[in-house]
């Protein structure tokens, strides 16, 4: 009987078991509470900066390539390549320091804690105390999951949560939401390839309005999202 051969590489080659593990970890059903966070999107809508689906798509594309999407991908890849606990701790410290504001740090810390708790309970290892991308990168390395596929699915999961948030805040229907996700999703393999070396010297953040929105959310009076 033919079987899938495991590939512990940074490429997208993966076995069925590896793909199922990643889709389980990055499914909305995985209990990390990702649906509760908007990365400042709620504040952007409140300020009138976003009014429709086209605005939402441009906002998410900027975040993906110039903000937390790209930087989190670099941290995830660096964690996947980490050589031991000390290296991993240093990467995590940089990830915490790179959070643009209090709520972004809260978000990545809480998601990381939830992911680490459930994942180490089922798969083993030591994943507590990490930000979300660092915890996921470390877990993926421990399970020999292909890095580029992990990156692409991680970014797709982030976009899925934010598109869903946008649908709650803006006049964006289910079909339009999926069209936005489809178009942005086509960009993810290239972004995964660009960041898979985990070179933290490439860190940058120029999605300034996205970060300002996250800061404004801290004092927003009426809100449905935690960030």
């Amino acid at each position: 009987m033919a079987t899938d051969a495991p590939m512990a590489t940074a490429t997208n080659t993966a076995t069925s078991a590896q793909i199922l593990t990643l889709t389980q970890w990055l499914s909305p059903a995985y209990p990390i509470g990702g649906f509760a966070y908007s990365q400042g999107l709620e504040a952007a809508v409140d300020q009138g900066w976003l009014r429709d689906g086209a605005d939402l798509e441009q906002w998410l594309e900027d975040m993906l390539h110039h903000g937390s999407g790209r930087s989190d991908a670099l941290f995830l890849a660096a964690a996947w390549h980490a050589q031991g606990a000390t290296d991993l701790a240093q990467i995590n410290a940089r990830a915490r320091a790179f959070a643009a504001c209090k709520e972004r740090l809260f978000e990545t810390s809480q998601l990381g804690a939830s992911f680490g708790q459930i994942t180490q309970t089922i798969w083993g290892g030591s994943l507590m105390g990490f930000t979300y991308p660092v915890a996921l990168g470390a877990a993926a390395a421990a399970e020999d999951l292909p890095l580029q596929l992990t990156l692409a699915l991680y970014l797709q999961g982030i976009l899925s949560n934010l598109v869903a948030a946008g649908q709650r805040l803006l006049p964006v229907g289910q079909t339009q939401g999926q069209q936005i996700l489809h178009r942005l999703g086509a960009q993810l393999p290239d972004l995964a390839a660009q960041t898979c070396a985990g070179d933290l010297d490439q860190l940058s953040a120029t999605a300034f309005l996205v970060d300002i929105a996250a800061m404004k959310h801290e004092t927003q009076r009426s809100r449905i999202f935690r960030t």
Side-chain angles (χ1 to χ4, degrees), residues 5-180:
M7 289 284 290
T9 71
T11 70
N12 281 328
T13 304
T15 67
S16 296
Q18 289 173 322
I19 293 171
L20 288 171
T21 296
L22 280 172
T23 54
Q24 181 176 352
W25 286 357
L26 297 168
S27 164
Y30 208 61
I32 64 171
F35 62 88
Y37 302 95
S38 81
Q39 294 195 21
L41 184 62
E42 184 175 23
V45 174
D46 183 65
Q47 293 292 315
W49 298 339
L50 305 181
R51 298 182 182 277
D52 54 25
D55 290 345
L56 174 64
E57 183 169 356
Q58 186 60 63
W59 182 271
L60 295 181
E61 186 170 15
D62 289 345
M63 178 277 297
L64 188 65
H65 292 286
H66 307 295
S68 60
R70 187 174 185 279
S71 59
D72 279 4
L74 285 168
F75 286 123
L76 191 162
W80 192 90
H81 290 293
Q83 301 296 310
T86 299
D87 193 18
L88 199 59
Q90 291 174 345
I91 294 165
N92 191 63
R94 291 189 67 175
R96 290 178 58 84
F98 205 72
C101 63
K102 177 182 177 181
E103 283 199 354
R104 281 290 295 128
L105 178 59
F106 172 77
E107 177 179 339
T108 192
S109 298
Q110 290 298 308
L111 291 174
S114 298
F115 177 85
Q117 182 177 24
I118 187 67
T119 305
Q120 72 178 31
T121 297
I122 299 172
W123 280 269
S126 179
L127 296 172
M128 297 306 295
F130 297 129
T131 58
Y132 184 32
V134 172
L136 180 59
E143 291 299 312
D144 291 333
L145 304 182
L147 177 55
Q148 287 191 36
L149 183 61
T150 302
L151 286 165
L153 290 178
Y154 168 77
L155 293 168
Q156 184 188 53
I158 296 298
L159 287 176
S160 296
N161 278 333
L162 294 177
V163 167
Q167 289 174 317
R168 296 172 68 181
L169 297 165
L170 293 163
V172 177
Q174 296 294 330
T175 298
Q176 187 179 18
Q178 290 304 308
Q179 288 171 333
I180 292 170

Side-chain angles (χ1 to χ4, degrees), residues 195-213:
T195 56
C196 69
D199 181 5
L200 297 186
D201 288 339
Q202 295 181 11
L203 280 171
S204 65
T206 55
F208 301 122
L209 197 59
V210 177
D211 292 337
I212 291 170

Side-chain angles (χ1 to χ4, degrees), residues 180-201:
I180 292 170
L181 187 58
H182 175 68
R183 286 191 292 266
L184 294 179
Q187 302 174 27
L188 300 183
D190 284 345
L191 184 56
Q194 293 167 19
T195 56
C196 69
D199 181 5
L200 297 186
D201 288 339

